[in-house]
Amino acid sequence: MSFLRFAFSELLHSKRFAILFLVNLSFGLTSFSALEFLKNSIQTTIMSQSRQVLGADFGISSRHALNEQEQFIVQKNLPQQALATDVIETFSMVTHGQSSALVQIKAVQLTFPFYGQILTEPLKKTSYLEDTESVWIYPELLTLLNARIGDFLKIGTRQFRIAAVVKDDTASNISTNMAPRIYMSLNSLKKTNLVRSGSLAWYSTLYKIPNFSEEQLDSLKNQIYQQLSDNEVQVFTHRSASEQMNRLLNYLSDFLGLISLSSLFIACIGLTFLLSTYLHDKSVSIAILNVLGYSKKKAILFYALQLFAVTLFGAIISVFLAIVSLPFLLQASQTVAAFTILLNVNFTTLFQILLAGTLGGFCIILPHLIHLIYSPPRQLLSNMPRTHKNIYWQLLLAYIPGALLFYLLSIREMHSVQNGSIFFACFVGSGLLLYGFSYFILSLAQKIKWAPSLAFAWALRDLTRLRISTTTGFLSLALGVFLVNIIPQIRANLQGEIQKPITSKLPSLFLFDIQEEQLNDIQKILKNEHIHLQHLSPLIRARLLEVNGTPFEKGTGAFSSYSTREQENESRFRNRGFNLSYRPELDASETISQGSAPPRHFDDKTATLPEISLEERFANRLHLKIGDILTFDIQDIPIKGKVTSLRHVKWTSFQPNFFVLFQDGSLDDAPKTFLATIAKLELNQKLNLQKKIVQALPNISIIDVDRLIEKLVFLIDQMGWALQAMSLFCILVGFTVLLAIANDQIRRREWDIGLLKALGSSYKTITACFVYQFTIIGFFAALAGGLLSILGSYIFSTFLFDGAWFFNWQVPALSVLGLTLLCPLLTFIGTRKGLAFKAKELLSQR
Amino acid sequence: MNIVVDHLAKTYLQIEEKIEALKDVSFQINSGESLSIIGQSGSGKTTLLSLLAGLESPDEGAIMMGEVDIAKMPEKEMTLFRARHIGIVFQQYHLMPHLTALENVLLPLEINRINNSKEIALALLNKVGLSKRAHHLPRQMSGGENQRVAIARAMVHSPSIVLADEPSGSLDYKNGEIVMELLFNLTRASHTTLLLVTHDTELAQCCQKTLHLHNGRMQQ
C-alpha cells in the first residue's frame, strides 16, 4: 500500500502535469468514445428495430416477379409456419388539379406489416386499402399537391381518394427522402397500369417466421440465396436489410471516425510532450530509488504504472464527456438514418474505449521508457539532457506499436484497408508537409536581423533555438486547423457543384420509364411548348451471366462487422441486375480513361461481337478489364460483348449515365424503356410541362432536379454539421496541446525566467516574449492548416469528385484571425504560474 | 557606489513558525571595495545577498546604494536599478542553455538597450579568455569556462556593484582559483564594488573587508 501511496503523493506533487495530461487525454479520447457509443447505438437500434423497419423477419425482393422455379425454391426452403405478404414498390407521378409530384408508391396486402405499424389519421387498418380504392399519403403531399383528405388523386390511369395521412410509419426508410410515399393495395396498383415491362419497380415478398432465431434466419437466407441462380433476386433478413438501408449513415460514421482519430493523434502529440518533461524530471527520482535498492527497471515500472493509472482515469473521464456529447451526434446522424436511433451505452463499448485508451497510453509511454532504461545512471542523477546516441534502433522500434495502432484504427474506422491506408498516408503526409513548412518558416525567422522590440527579438530567437517544442506546438495546431477547415471547404465544393447557377448545364427535369411507343407522344408535347428532349437514352435491364465463359459469381450476400466497404460494394454489385444502354457517341459527361471508344455503329457483317465500354470504378469493383468477354441475359436471350474501353463518368451532371454501354446498333431489338432530360426551365414553365406530361402519359416518372438538389444540399449540410462539430473538437484538442506546451515551456524555463528577472528584465518583457512566441506559432499554424485545407479541397474536388473547385476563403480567414487572437490569451493563462517564479530561488540552488 | 546597510532584518513565516533569517545586520562598504560575507549554512548569507540584489524586500532596515534606499523601492524601479547597477554571479553559473556564450553576455546590454553591444560583449569575452568560444553553447564548455562567461555577463554593462554567490563553489581548486583571480582583477580594474559570499576563509581574506554571519546575526 505504501507503494500506491507514494505513487499517489508523487502525482499530487505534480498536479499541473497530472491535470494537463488528463485534459489532453480525455479531450482527445472523447470524440473517439462518442463515436464508439454512436456506432453501438446504431447497431443496437438496428437489432431492436429492424423487424419494424422491414415489417417482417425475412424477405425476397427483385426487379421482376419471381418465376415459377424461383418461387418453388423459396417455398421449398421456408418453414411451414412462415406467413407471407406481397409488396410492390415503384415511383410515379401523381396529380391533383394543377399540381403534380413524384411519389414512391408502396402497394401492400392487408397483412402488411407483420411488425411495426402504419399509423394514420384518421385511424385506419390496412384492410381499408383493400376494400376501397383509396390511398394513404405522407403529410408533405398535402402541401405539394394542395390537397386535403377526401380529395382525389390521379395515379396512372385511375383516380384514388385520399383516405388518410400517415402519421407514423415504422417502415419508412431513406428512400422516402427522395419522394414522399403513398400506400395503396396491390389490386389498386394493378388498376393504375403503371407497372409495365421494363418499369422501375421492386417486387417483394415479406415473411413472418415465428420462433426463428437470428442464426436460423441467416442460415435460411444463405440457403435460398445460393440456390437461386438470378443475381438480381435479393434475399435478406430484417437485420441485413436495415444495415443495407443505412449505407449513408455508415459512410458518415466512417468519416466521423477519421476526425475522432485525428483528435486522438493530436492529443497524443501533446501527451508525448508532457511525458517527456515529466519523466525527465523524474529521472533523478528513478536514480535515487536505484541507489536505495530498487532495480532501475522496477523504478521505471513504478512510474509506468503511475502513468497507466492516470491514462485509465483520463479514459474514464472521456467516457463521461462522450456521453454528454452523444445527443448532439445522434441528432446529426438522425437525418441520414432510416429509423430513430436509440441512445445506448453498454459495458462492452465502455471496455473497448478503456482498452483503446490504455493501449494508446502504453504506446505513448513506451519510447520515453526506452530513453530511461538506456540512459546511464550518471546521466539520470545529473538530470542532464538525454542523448539519442546508441539507442536509435531501440527508439525506432518503440515508436512502431503506436504507429501500428494508429494505422489499424484508421482501417477499423474506415472499414476499408484501402481507404484506411490512404488516410494514414495522407495524415503522415500532411504532417510531413507541415513539418517542412515549419522548417522553412523557422529558417526564414533565423535570418531576420531586425525586430520591433527586445521581447520580439527574444521570441524569434527562442522559437528558432527550441525547435522541438516550436514544431510540436505548430504541428498540433496546424493539423487541428486543417481538419476544421477542410470540412467546410469540401462542403462548399459539394454544394457549389450541385447548386450550379442557372446558366449551367444541369437539367430541370429528369424523365424515366418512358415506353418506346410513347416517344412520339412526348416529343409532340414538348414541341408544342417549344422545348426539346435531351440526352434521350435507352435503358435495357439485364443480368450478367458470364465473364470470359465463366459463370459470374454471385456475391456472398453475407456482411459482417469485419467486411470492408470494398467487400460490401463488390457484393452489392454482384447481386444486382444491370441497366445497359447504347449511344452513338459519348456524352459530354464521359471521357475514355482506358482503351478506345467503340466505333460509332455496330455492323454485324464486319464485327463478331459488339464493343462494350464500362464505367471505370464499376469495372474495378467487379474486377473486369479491357478484353473481357461479357455475356448478359436480356429477357432470357444471351448477348455477348467485348470490353474495349473504360470510361470516367461525371455523375454530378445529373444526365443519364450508365455503368455499361454497348455499341450503338447492337441492342436495337432489346426491350427497353427510355430516360431523358429537359434543360433549365422557369418554375411555371416546369410545373406546366410536368402537368401536361403526367396527364397525357401518366406512367412516365419525372424527377424535379432542382428539388432533388435542395434535398441533397440539405443532407450534405446535416452531415457536414456533424463533421464540423467533430472537427471543432479537434481544434479544441489542439488548444489544450498548445496550453500544455506553453505551460511546459515555462516550467522548463523557470530558471531562465528567474535569471532574466535577476538580470533586470521586466515582467512585461518576459511575458511579452512568451506571448509573441505562441502567437507566432498560432498564426503560422492557422495559416499552414488553412492553406493545406485549400489544397486538400482542390485535390478532393478535382481528382476525387471530378468537379469544379470553389474557393471558400471565409473559414480559413476566420481560423487565422481566431487562433492569432486566442493564442496570446492561452499563453497568458498557461504561463502565469511560471512567470511568478521568484528569481531569488536561483540563489538557493546548489 | 557606496553601500550602507542599516539594521537590516528579514523574517520568514513557515506554517506556524517564524524564522529570523537576518537580525539587525549593519555594515558599510565604500565604492570600489570588496567585502566577503562568510558563515555556515543557514547563517543568512543567501538572504542577505537576495536583499542586496533587490530580489526581495527586508522587514526592517535600510539598504542605501549611493543615495537610494533600495529597501523601499517598488519592484519595477528595483528591476530597472538592478539592470543598470548590479551584476550577479551565481554558484551554478545559470547561463541560458540555448544561447551561445556571446548571446549570454549580451543579455544585460540588450536589457539596458546599450548600443555597440556586440563589440562590448566580445571585448569582455576576450578579457576572460573566451573569445574563441563566443559561439559555443554552455553544454559545449567546461564548468570553469561557463563561470567565466557568467562573470563576463555580470560585468558587461559596467555595473556599480557585483554580487557573487560562491562563484567557485562548483569548480575544482584550479579552476576556482582562475575564476576568483579573474573576478578580483576585473572588479578592481573597473572600481566595481564586490560583495562575495563564500565558505572559504582563505578566499575571504582576499577581500578588503569581511562580514561574519551566524544565525542571521553579525559576529564580531
Side-chain angles (χ1 to χ4, degrees):
Chain A
M1 283 309 286
S2 62
F3 182 91
L4 280 171
R5 227 193 340 252
F6 180 54
F8 188 63
S9 77
E10 270 257 303
L11 269 179
L12 278 181
H13 279 101
S14 311
K15 264 194 276 259
R16 195 160 269 257
F17 158 78
I19 289 168
L20 279 171
F21 191 91
L22 277 174
V23 167
N24 261 275
L25 179 64
S26 52
F27 273 25
L29 261 180
T30 296
S31 53
F32 181 80
S33 307
L35 194 66
E36 289 302 308
F37 284 129
L38 176 69
K39 284 182 193 171
N40 179 60
S41 298
I42 290 167
Q43 272 310 307
T44 312
T45 309
I46 285 174
M47 280 162 59
S48 66
Q49 289 193 14
S50 50
R51 275 190 173 84
Q52 285 88 331
V53 170
L54 182 62
D57 292 308
F58 191 83
I60 313 252
S61 181
S62 179
R63 287 285 298 270
H64 62 265
L66 294 186
N67 58 35
E68 271 183 34
Q69 193 195 6
E70 286 164 344
Q71 283 180 22
F72 173 74
I73 290 169
V74 171
Q75 288 304 319
K76 166 180 94 173
N77 283 282
L78 282 172
Q80 269 189 329
Q81 70 266 34
L83 301 169
T85 189
D86 290 328
V87 176
I88 300 176
E89 289 169 272
T90 187
F91 286 91
S92 177
M93 299 299 289
V94 300
T95 52
H96 173 256
Q98 301 301 308
S99 309
S100 59
L102 180 71
V103 300
Q104 185 204 39
I105 293 176
K106 190 156 185 165
V108 299
Q109 291 179 310
L110 64 91
T111 42
F112 180 87
F114 289 124
Y115 303 100
Q117 62 177 7
I118 308 168
L119 198 62
T120 59
E121 191 183 293
L123 202 60
K124 303 274 182 207
K125 287 189 180 172
T126 331
S127 53
Y128 187 86
L129 291 173
E130 281 276 353
D131 299 337
T132 60
E133 279 196 7
S134 59
V135 294
W136 297 341
I137 67 172
Y138 269 30
E140 56 264 42
L141 276 171
L142 291 175
T143 317
L144 278 172
L145 297 171
N146 201 23
R148 291 176 301 183
I149 295 174
D151 286 353
F152 281 82
L153 299 181
K154 189 175 178 215
I155 306 173
T157 52
R158 297 287 283 244
Q159 297 270 0
F160 295 89
R161 197 175 74 86
I162 303 173
V165 166
V166 176
K167 285 294 176 195
D168 181 33
D169 182 4
T170 52
S172 69
N173 57 49
I174 198 80
S175 65
T176 55
N177 279 350
M178 310 310 279
R181 184 176 283 171
I182 282 182
Y183 278 102
M184 59 170 42
S185 69
L186 282 174
N187 286 331
S188 295
L189 181 64
K190 275 191 201 133
K191 291 173 186 174
T192 62
N193 285 322
L194 282 174
V195 181
R196 307 185 191 185
S197 167
S199 297
L200 191 68
W202 291 267
Y203 298 80
S204 306
T205 306
L206 303 177
Y207 299 91
K208 180 177 179 178
I209 310 177
N211 307 318
F212 244 48
S213 68
E214 298 306 330
E215 291 74 29
Q216 283 175 305
L217 284 173
D218 282 331
S219 171
L220 178 66
K221 178 186 120 181
N222 292 333
Q223 222 169 293
I224 294 176
Y225 186 75
Q226 292 305 325
Q227 290 173 35
L228 289 169
S229 56
D230 190 347
N231 288 4
E232 215 180 28
V233 179
Q234 304 290 315
V235 186
F236 42 86
T237 65
H238 59 96
R239 206 177 292 181
S240 62
S242 288
E243 279 166 0
Q244 281 287 286
M245 271 185 243
N246 284 293
R247 277 209 314 277
L248 211 56
L249 193 57
N250 289 337
Y251 284 124
L252 177 63
S253 77
D254 287 352
F255 282 110
L256 286 173
L258 288 183
I259 296 174
S260 73
L261 210 57
S262 305
S263 294
L264 192 59
F265 186 75
I266 291 169
C268 287
I269 296 173
L271 291 171
T272 300
F273 210 87
L274 287 167
L275 271 171
S276 172
T277 313
Y278 180 71
L279 288 174
H280 185 264
D281 289 348
K282 295 303 168 194
S283 58
V284 173
S285 305
I286 290 167
I288 291 168
L289 282 172
N290 191 210
V291 165
L292 293 174
Y294 244 56
S295 74
K296 199 161 127 199
K297 284 201 174 126
K298 267 192 189 168
I300 291 167
L301 185 63
F302 164 78
Y303 283 100
L305 287 173
Q306 192 193 53
L307 290 167
F308 225 68
V310 177
T311 309
L312 189 61
F313 191 50
I316 292 168
I317 294 174
S318 78
V319 163
F320 284 113
L321 288 174
I323 292 170
V324 164
S325 57
L326 201 49
F328 301 105
L329 260 184
L330 273 174
Q331 195 189 339
S333 306
Q334 198 58 73
T335 48
V336 295
F339 40 68
T340 308
I341 306 170
L342 303 170
L343 177 59
N344 182 271
V345 175
N346 69 7
F347 283 112
T348 312
T349 313
L350 197 69
F351 176 75
Q352 282 171 347
I353 292 165
L354 295 176
L355 184 69
T358 45
L359 212 60
F362 170 74
C363 289
I364 298 166
I365 293 166
L366 188 63
H368 303 286
L369 295 181
I370 296 292
H371 255 302
L372 286 173
I373 289 167
Y374 285 97
S375 291
R378 180 188 67 83
Q379 200 172 45
L380 290 180
L381 264 175
S382 67
N383 209 9
M384 284 163 58
R386 291 192 286 275
T387 63
H388 297 294
K389 281 184 199 169
N390 303 323
I391 58 167
Y392 178 75
W393 288 112
Q394 290 92 329
L395 268 179
L396 198 64
L397 284 170
Y399 279 107
I400 287 173
L404 195 62
L405 183 66
F406 186 61
Y407 177 63
L408 291 173
L409 280 174
S410 304
I411 292 172
R412 180 181 177 271
E413 294 306 316
M414 285 298 278
H415 285 95
S416 165
V417 172
Q418 181 184 312
N419 293 344
S421 303
I422 290 172
F423 169 75
F424 183 76
C426 286
F427 201 84
V428 171
S430 304
L432 289 171
L433 217 59
L434 289 169
Y435 176 78
F437 184 84
S438 77
Y439 186 86
F440 172 70
I441 295 294
L442 286 174
S443 304
L444 280 180
Q446 256 183 324
K447 293 184 170 61
I448 296 173
K449 300 294 175 200
W450 177 87
S453 68
L454 183 63
F456 194 85
W458 284 354
L460 275 184
R461 187 175 59 195
D462 288 351
L463 281 172
T464 55
R465 296 293 171 87
L466 301 166
R467 287 205 174 207
I468 294 174
S469 60
T470 305
T471 311
T472 308
F474 172 83
L475 276 176
S476 314
L477 277 178
L479 280 169
V481 168
F482 165 66
L483 285 167
V484 168
N485 275 268
I486 197 153
I487 305 299
Q489 292 280 352
I490 290 171
R491 193 170 65 192
N493 275 280
L494 278 174
Q495 285 177 339
E497 179 66 26
I498 289 165
Q499 285 177 307
K500 280 183 176 160
I502 199 140
T503 53
S504 79
K505 292 179 184 155
L506 278 186
S508 219
L509 297 174
F510 190 102
L511 285 68
F512 59 98
D513 272 350
I514 306 170
Q515 300 292 325
E516 198 163 5
E517 59 273 16
Q518 293 174 324
L519 283 175
N520 287 334
D521 294 330
I522 194 159
Q523 297 278 22
K524 240 187 246 172
I525 294 169
L526 293 172
K527 198 175 171 188
N528 288 339
E529 304 295 321
H530 307 289
I531 294 167
H532 298 287
L533 203 61
Q534 292 180 337
H535 298 99
L536 184 66
S537 307
L539 184 152
I540 299 141
R541 286 295 294 173
R543 294 186 301 129
L544 182 57
L545 285 178
E546 290 174 356
V547 178
N548 298 323
T550 310
F552 182 64
E553 269 180 41
K554 284 167 66 155
T556 60
F559 300 139
S560 70
S561 54
Y562 305 107
S563 302
T564 63
R565 295 284 179 243
E566 284 85 12
Q567 285 171 333
E568 288 171 7
N569 285 335
E570 183 183 332
S571 194
R572 213 173 63 247
F573 270 80
R574 283 185 175 274
N575 301 335
R576 55 181 279 175
F578 301 110
N579 295 326
L580 311 181
S581 189
Y582 56 84
R583 43 176 69 139
E585 56 199 12
L586 292 180
D587 187 69
S589 56
E590 304 173 295
T591 46
I592 298 289
S593 55
Q594 270 186 64
S596 52
R600 222 178 150 80
H601 197 78
F602 175 64
D603 184 354
D604 58 2
K605 292 192 186 76
T606 55
T608 50
L609 287 178
E611 295 185 21
I612 296 172
S613 180
L614 300 178
E615 195 268 344
E616 58 190 0
R617 285 188 203 180
F618 166 83
N620 196 39
R621 265 186 215 124
L622 299 181
H623 311 292
L624 302 173
K625 56 189 185 311
I626 290 174
D628 283 346
I629 309 286
L630 308 181
T631 308
F632 288 93
D633 170 359
I634 302 171
Q635 305 235 343
D636 296 325
I637 297 172
I639 304 285
K640 279 190 183 176
K642 187 176 180 184
V643 180
T644 55
S645 63
L646 300 184
R647 278 170 300 126
H648 173 76
V649 175
K650 195 163 153 39
W651 296 100
T652 53
S653 63
F654 287 92
Q655 303 295 356
N657 272 305
F658 299 86
F659 290 127
V660 183
L661 270 187
F662 266 75
Q663 198 176 351
D664 185 43
S666 56
L667 295 176
D668 288 349
D669 298 330
K672 57 182 88 66
T673 58
F674 285 84
L675 316 177
T677 58
I678 294 170
K680 262 304 184 233
L681 299 172
E682 296 295 329
L683 179 64
N684 288 334
Q685 207 181 6
K686 183 171 66 176
L687 294 174
N688 185 47
L689 180 66
Q690 201 167 284
K691 187 188 78 185
K692 286 195 169 135
I693 294 173
V694 170
Q695 275 171 355
L697 305 161
N699 63 289
I700 294 177
S701 295
I702 307 172
I703 296 174
D704 184 335
V705 177
D706 296 323
R707 280 196 57 220
L708 177 66
I709 285 168
E710 267 175 39
K711 287 192 177 183
L712 284 175
V713 165
F714 174 74
L715 266 177
I716 290 164
D717 253 347
Q718 292 299 303
M719 286 169 67
W721 186 89
L723 293 169
Q724 191 73 20
M726 283 286 235
S727 305
L728 282 173
F729 209 86
C730 209
I731 207 170
L732 187 67
V733 172
F735 280 138
T736 58
V737 170
L738 186 72
L739 201 64
I741 292 170
N743 181 261
D744 183 77
Q745 269 285 280
I746 299 299
R747 246 185 32 77
R748 277 189 197 239
R749 297 175 59 192
E750 273 174 348
W751 297 114
D752 296 351
I753 292 166
L755 179 65
L756 287 172
K757 283 183 187 170
L759 292 175
S761 179
S762 68
Y763 182 86
K764 192 174 140 191
T765 307
I766 301 168
T767 312
C769 171
F770 281 98
V771 167
Y772 279 135
Q773 275 181 63
F774 288 96
T775 306
I776 290 168
I777 291 175
F779 171 75
F780 281 105
L783 187 68
L787 287 172
L788 194 62
S789 73
I790 291 168
L791 177 67
S793 74
Y794 174 75
I795 291 169
F796 183 87
S797 300
T798 312
F799 296 105
L800 288 176
F801 208 63
D802 193 33
W805 176 59
F806 297 89
F807 175 50
N808 179 328
W809 62 268
Q810 287 93 335
V811 177
L814 201 64
S815 300
V816 171
L817 191 66
L819 205 58
T820 309
L821 292 175
L822 211 52
C823 275
L825 179 66
L826 282 173
T827 312
F828 188 69
I829 294 167
T831 57
R832 281 201 73 179
K833 191 183 177 190
L835 287 170
F837 180 74
K838 299 246 183 268
K840 75 176 178 82
E841 285 176 44
L842 286 169
L843 291 169
S844 20
Q845 196 199 27
R846 291 286 180 263
Chain B
M1 189 184 281
N2 296 338
I3 301 173
V4 177
V5 172
D6 185 37
H7 298 294
L8 206 62
K10 180 73 182 177
T11 306
Y12 294 110
L13 273 170
Q14 277 191 3
I15 308 165
E16 289 175 1
E17 200 184 332
K18 271 188 192 175
I19 296 172
E20 284 184 326
L22 282 179
K23 182 78 181 169
D24 196 24
V25 171
S26 302
F27 62 88
Q28 184 176 334
I29 174 168
N30 297 320
S31 179
E33 284 184 344
S34 55
L35 169 75
S36 62
I37 302 167
I38 195 162
Q40 289 176 340
S41 260
S43 59
K45 307 189 299 295
T46 304
T47 307
L48 178 59
L49 210 62
S50 73
L51 289 172
L52 291 171
L55 298 175
E56 55 183 331
S57 305
D59 296 318
E60 289 171 28
I63 306 171
M64 302 299 295
M65 289 195 176
E67 305 297 318
V68 178
D69 181 4
I70 67 164
K72 291 175 176 56
M73 239 188 219
E75 194 189 328
K76 262 189 186 170
E77 266 185 63
M78 186 61 227
T79 305
L80 283 169
F81 185 90
R82 187 166 58 248
R84 182 67 198 93
H85 297 291
I86 300 174
I88 308 175
V89 181
F90 301 96
Q91 183 183 356
Q92 297 289 347
Y93 346 127
H94 287 317
L95 299 177
M96 296 275 209
H98 59 284
L99 302 182
T100 62
L102 177 62
E103 286 164 346
N104 268 288
V105 173
L106 275 169
L107 277 173
L109 298 173
E110 286 172 347
I111 291 168
N112 285 290
R113 289 165 170 72
I114 291 170
N115 293 331
N116 303 321
S117 51
K118 202 170 175 186
E119 288 82 4
I120 297 169
L122 279 169
L124 201 48
L125 272 174
N126 191 37
K127 272 191 191 169
V128 301
L130 290 174
S131 53
K132 285 186 182 162
R133 307 302 291 272
H135 301 291
H136 286 209
L137 295 169
R139 67 168 187 270
Q140 293 170 315
M141 298 186 286
S142 68
E145 287 168 336
N146 278 321
Q147 194 60 295
R148 281 192 269 160
V149 173
I151 290 170
R153 183 184 62 192
M155 303 223 41
V156 73
H157 56 301
S158 306
S160 309
I161 301 158
V162 166
L163 307 172
D165 181 20
E166 299 206 50
S168 57
S170 297
L171 303 172
D172 58 77
Y173 181 76
K174 189 179 172 195
N175 274 308
E177 270 205 338
I178 294 170
V179 157
M180 289 317 303
E181 193 182 328
L182 193 60
L183 186 61
F184 281 124
N185 287 342
L186 285 173
T187 50
R188 278 184 202 129
S190 55
H191 296 287
T192 307
T193 309
L194 171 66
L195 280 92
L196 172 70
V197 166
T198 184
H199 282 124
D200 189 339
T201 45
E202 259 189 62
L203 200 56
Q205 281 163 14
C206 296
C207 295
Q208 288 154 313
K209 289 180 180 175
T210 302
L211 174 68
H212 291 265
L213 283 178
H214 179 67
N215 286 336
R217 290 171 189 270
M218 283 167 53
Q219 255 191 338
Q220 299 304 327

